[in-house]
């Protein structure tokens, strides 16, 4: 399907197709929130949104988790495009909220190779949470084997470059309310 919606937010860029529209996203995020609430019947839940990509997803998701919880964010340094990961991740914003003893839900926009999330889980595990789980809006299923699998997935994503709903291309398109594939 090829669509080029006349959307000024796209700055005249050709969009190959809208992969997930606003209604699909809203329905799936609400269901994911209910799923997460059921998975944590007790305990102290802390959602940690990985900025910047997960800002919109985190904001929508937590509104659908009807139980006490805390919300904070995390900013990690990312390896540059095309570079080999050093196997280390550096926190540029370290959450002020304590992690020890809590059920930590790491909220990510998209899992591609999964390296970012795997390194973050390893780092946060040193702070002795009760549990730690990954929730990703999109999962490309590129990685063969992830030591810490993604427990909550919004959508299986095609192996295309996606923008919108928090996902960017050079910081553009994060505000687009749907998810599109760039041509
Ligand atoms: P990973 O460590 O390879 O899983 O990379 C995940 C990160 O790469 C995400 O948090 C995004 O910032 C970025 N990324 C991966 N695929 C896409 C995409 O299709 N569009 C926009 N950003 C992406
Ligand atoms: Mg990101």
């Amino acid at each position: 399907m090829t669509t080029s919606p006349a959307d000024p937010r796209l700055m005249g860029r050709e969009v190959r197709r809208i992969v997930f529209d606003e209604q699909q996203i809203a329905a799936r995020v609400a269901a994911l929130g209910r799923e997460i609430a059921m998975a944590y019947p007790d305990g102290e839940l802390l959602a940690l949104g990985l900025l910047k990509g997960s800002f919109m997803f985190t904001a929508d998701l937590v509104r659908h988790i009807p139980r006490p919880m805390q919300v904070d964010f995390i900013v990690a340094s990312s390896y540059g495009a095309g570079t080999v990961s050093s196997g280390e991740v550096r926190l540029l914003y370290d959450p002020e909220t304590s992690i020890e003893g809590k059920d930590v839900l790491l909220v990510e926009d998209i899992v591609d190779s999964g390296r970012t999330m795997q390194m973050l889980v390893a780092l946060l595990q040193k702070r002795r949470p009760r549990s730690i789980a990954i929730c990703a809006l999109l999962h490309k299923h590129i990685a063969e084997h992830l030591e810490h699998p993604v427990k909550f997935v919004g959508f299986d994503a095609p192996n295309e470059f996606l923008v919108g709903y928090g996902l960017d291309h050079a910081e553009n398109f994060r505000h687009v309310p749907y998810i599109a594939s760039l041509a």
Side-chain angles (χ1 to χ4, degrees):
M1 183 182 68
T2 302
T3 34
S4 287
D7 184 337
R9 288 173 288 219
L10 300 172
M11 311 190 306
R13 281 289 293 261
E14 281 283 304
V15 156
R16 192 181 294 163
R17 64 196 175 98
I18 293 174
V19 183
F20 302 107
D21 67 25
E22 286 184 70
Q23 287 72 29
Q24 285 173 290
I25 295 169
R28 186 64 194 116
V29 170
L32 211 45
R34 290 191 294 270
E35 202 184 309
I36 288 165
M38 286 198 301
Y40 296 97
D42 55 31
E44 294 180 85
L45 181 61
L46 167 65
L48 283 182
L50 180 59
L51 291 176
K52 294 170 278 200
S54 80
F55 83 98
M56 205 176 278
F57 176 41
T58 304
D60 285 344
L61 180 68
V62 296
R63 277 181 269 198
H64 292 283
I65 304 178
R67 54 152 292 162
M69 69 181 294
Q70 295 178 315
V71 181
D72 204 338
F73 289 90
I74 193 163
V75 181
S77 67
S78 54
Y79 44 88
T83 64
V84 176
S85 160
S86 63
E88 275 177 37
V89 65
R90 203 158 54 91
L91 297 187
L92 304 180
Y93 169 73
D94 199 332
E96 285 155 16
T97 319
S98 120
I99 284 167
E100 189 168 347
K102 292 185 183 159
D103 291 309
V104 174
L105 184 69
L106 261 176
V107 182
E108 168 71 308
D109 53 355
I110 185 165
V111 172
D112 188 353
S113 74
R115 276 185 294 182
T116 313
M117 273 290 130
Q118 301 300 299
M119 292 187 290
L120 267 180
V121 170
L123 185 151
L124 294 174
Q125 266 174 344
K126 295 183 186 143
R127 300 182 185 182
R128 308 163 65 86
R130 182 168 89 155
S131 72
I132 184 157
I134 300 169
C135 171
L137 175 67
L138 300 158
H139 196 334
K140 284 189 178 170
H141 294 281
I142 304 289
E144 291 276 303
H145 169 78
L146 293 179
E147 192 184 340
H148 309 289
V150 184
K151 184 165 183 186
F152 304 99
V153 179
F155 300 103
D156 293 334
N159 191 15
E160 297 167 26
F161 198 82
L162 305 176
V163 297
Y165 199 70
L167 289 96
D168 75 307
H169 178 254
E171 300 302 329
N172 295 308
F173 313 116
R174 290 197 196 275
H175 66 314
V176 172
Y178 47 85
I179 295 167
S181 171
L182 278 194

